[in-house]
Amino acid sequence: MYRVSPFVRHFGLALLAGIAVATLWLTLSPASYYDAIEWRLAELPLPLWLAPFPLALTPVNIVSDGLMALFLFFIAKELWEAIRLDRGALTGRRGGLPLGAMLGGWIGAVLVWLISGALVETAMETPPGAGWPVPLGSDVVLCYLVGRLIFGNGHPALHLLLLITIANDIAGLIVLGLAYPASGLRLVWLGLTLAAVAVAWFGFARLARSDLTERDHRRAFALWPYAVAGVVSWLGVVLAGLPGALGLLPLVPVIPHADRAFGLFAEAEEFLHDPLNRLAHLLVKPLALVLFLFGLTRGGVDVVALSPTTASVLAALWIGKPLGVLLGAMAAARLFGFALPQGVQRRDLLVIAILTGMGFTVPVLALDSALPGGAMAEAARLGLVLSLLAGGAAFVTARLIRPR
């Protein structure tokens, strides 16, 4: 089996380092921590027809809505190649079982969230069922970090885990944006995004073919048109009221790419020179810094914020999602005949299900939109960080069920 590039491990370590520094800073000096991450760098006096609420640039929203768009672009590229390219991990019937596992995990997580919220009072001002998108996402890099220790770098179970967690994060953020738009949906602005995609395709990407001239080759394989289109696409998504982290995703399908997939984050992709892979390679080093900054600005945990909301988060991620992943995968196998990937055993699926209970990046992005701020959001953030302990549970489970 193919090997996953080591930079994914570096991403996970950078994210954990950011969380650790943020938690230490918050514990020692809460006031200075919040002053730093919420510091208003600039005020944007935009007209009402452009933005219904005053906008301010702060480290938190620059990282969450701006820089994290680069990370979502990076992982969306892998998901798109798995779906679209020859030998992709999700082509044909290969995608049935991962899709069933993802949908089952969503159903399980949301059901447990709703039941937990109905049984335990969280906040009086919160409507029933609020916050249900929080447990939809997983954590690609941290799940990979623990999964690699359990399965090894080339094990097919690790690749199934990456498929499920990437799909969880991207689809979960889309659902969040539609269910809890930041300032009301203004979908007409998506016309700006569509225009950027159209110009990138018809003006440049469409020229990429085997018989193109040298002039067309330079035009189709230049990177600057896709960078400019990315800025315009991101602006359209933000003005439409959707999470800025989704802003670059519409461009992924139109950027010229390789003819066949080599696997998720495969080391072989480092030798490809198509525009999509070149853009991904340019992002590798900056993304380690982006994930550190994300952990720093969004990972500060108030260790005394424990409340019923913390329990709801943990129940949804530790009980609802793993059970849903298992039942969803079994239903896909039994009802529709989808098989486990070659080399993946049922005991591996159990470990994968437990690992999907680790939720941080996209669930943290959901906090501001899906939950009221203050104590409830801090309690949910504590639950998300505690959910990372599912990695230890998966490690122990893997050792217990290992065949003798």
Side-chain angles (χ1 to χ4, degrees):
M1 296 296 293
Y2 66 88
R3 295 176 60 84
V4 177
S5 292
F7 61 73
V8 184
R9 182 175 71 256
H10 301 157
F11 290 170
L13 295 175
L15 179 60
L16 288 175
I19 294 172
V21 172
T23 300
L24 180 62
W25 187 355
L26 179 59
T27 302
L28 297 177
S29 180
S32 66
Y33 175 75
Y34 286 116
D35 286 344
I37 65 172
E38 296 173 2
W39 179 33
R40 290 177 175 260
L41 302 172
E43 300 283 348
L44 302 179
L46 301 177
L48 291 179
W49 59 269
L50 193 61
F53 300 104
L55 297 179
L57 293 180
T58 66
V60 169
N61 58 38
I62 289 174
V63 173
S64 298
D65 290 326
L67 297 180
M68 284 301 286
L70 300 175
F71 176 69
L72 266 292
F73 172 86
F74 191 84
I75 63 174
K77 172 252 185 191
E78 299 295 332
L79 187 65
W80 168 250
E81 289 179 339
I83 296 172
R84 176 70 178 82
L85 301 188
D86 183 35
R87 297 180 59 184
L90 295 178
T91 54
R93 294 179 59 82
R94 297 177 183 176
L97 192 132
L99 178 61
M102 185 196 78
L103 293 177
W106 279 20
I107 294 171
V110 172
L111 283 178
V112 171
W113 177 275
L114 296 177
I115 293 171
S116 175
L119 295 177
V120 182
E121 180 180 330
T122 53
M124 295 297 293
E125 71 275 12
T126 306
W132 59 267
V134 169
L136 295 183
S138 296
D139 197 293
V140 175
V141 294
L142 297 183
C143 284
Y144 165 79
L145 204 62
V146 180
R148 185 177 182 273
L149 292 175
I150 296 173
F151 298 117
N153 196 22
H155 198 286
L158 182 61
H159 311 141
L160 178 60
L161 172 66
L162 285 171
L163 283 174
I164 295 173
T165 52
I166 290 173
N168 270 341
D169 277 1
I170 294 175
L173 196 57
I174 293 173
V175 170
L176 169 70
L178 295 176
Y180 291 92
S183 54
L185 287 176
R186 302 179 302 280
L187 297 182
V188 66
W189 283 107
L190 290 180
L192 198 60
T193 298
L194 293 176
V197 172
V199 170
W201 169 251
F202 290 104
F204 300 91
R206 187 172 59 89
L207 301 175
R209 58 183 187 273
S210 59
D211 59 339
L212 74 172
T213 64
E214 180 62 26
R215 177 170 175 247
D216 287 343
H217 182 279
R218 290 197 303 268
R219 185 173 178 181
F221 282 73
L223 298 185
W224 69 264
Y226 309 112
V228 173
V231 173
V232 177
S233 173
W234 178 86
L235 187 61
V237 168
V238 171
L239 294 177
L242 297 172
L246 297 172
L248 302 180
L249 300 193
L251 276 176
V252 173
V254 303
I255 299 176
H257 47 69
D259 295 329
R260 67 185 183 92
F262 290 87
L264 297 174
F265 305 116
E267 285 184 330
E269 292 180 343
E270 298 175 10
F271 302 99
L272 301 178
H273 300 288
D274 57 278
L276 189 57
N277 275 292
R278 286 163 58 204
L279 287 169
H281 301 158
L282 289 174
L283 289 176
V284 166
K285 291 183 179 179
L287 280 180
L289 177 60
V290 168
L291 288 170
F292 173 80
L293 293 175
F294 182 76
L296 183 65
T297 57
R298 303 304 296 265
V301 179
D302 186 352
V303 294
V304 298
L306 188 68
S307 81
T309 302
T310 308
S312 295
V313 171
L314 292 176
L317 289 173
W318 283 357
I319 300 174
K321 181 170 281 188
L323 283 176
V325 167
L326 285 174
L327 294 176
M330 291 171 58
R334 297 233 176 152
L335 297 180
F336 303 101
F338 297 119
L340 284 169
Q342 186 177 4
V344 179
Q345 306 296 321
R346 291 185 179 181
R347 59 178 176 270
D348 298 328
L349 186 60
L350 172 61
V351 176
I352 289 172
I354 297 173
L355 285 172
T356 60
M358 301 173 65
F360 186 75
T361 46
V362 168
V364 164
L365 288 174
L367 292 183
D368 291 341
S369 302
L371 290 175
M376 190 174 183
E378 292 305 318
R381 193 189 316 274
L382 175 60
L384 292 175
V385 173
L386 290 176
S387 76
L388 301 182
L389 296 176
F395 192 87
V396 172
T397 302
R399 293 299 178 266
L400 292 176
I401 63 176
R402 174 183 291 175
R404 298 183 179 180

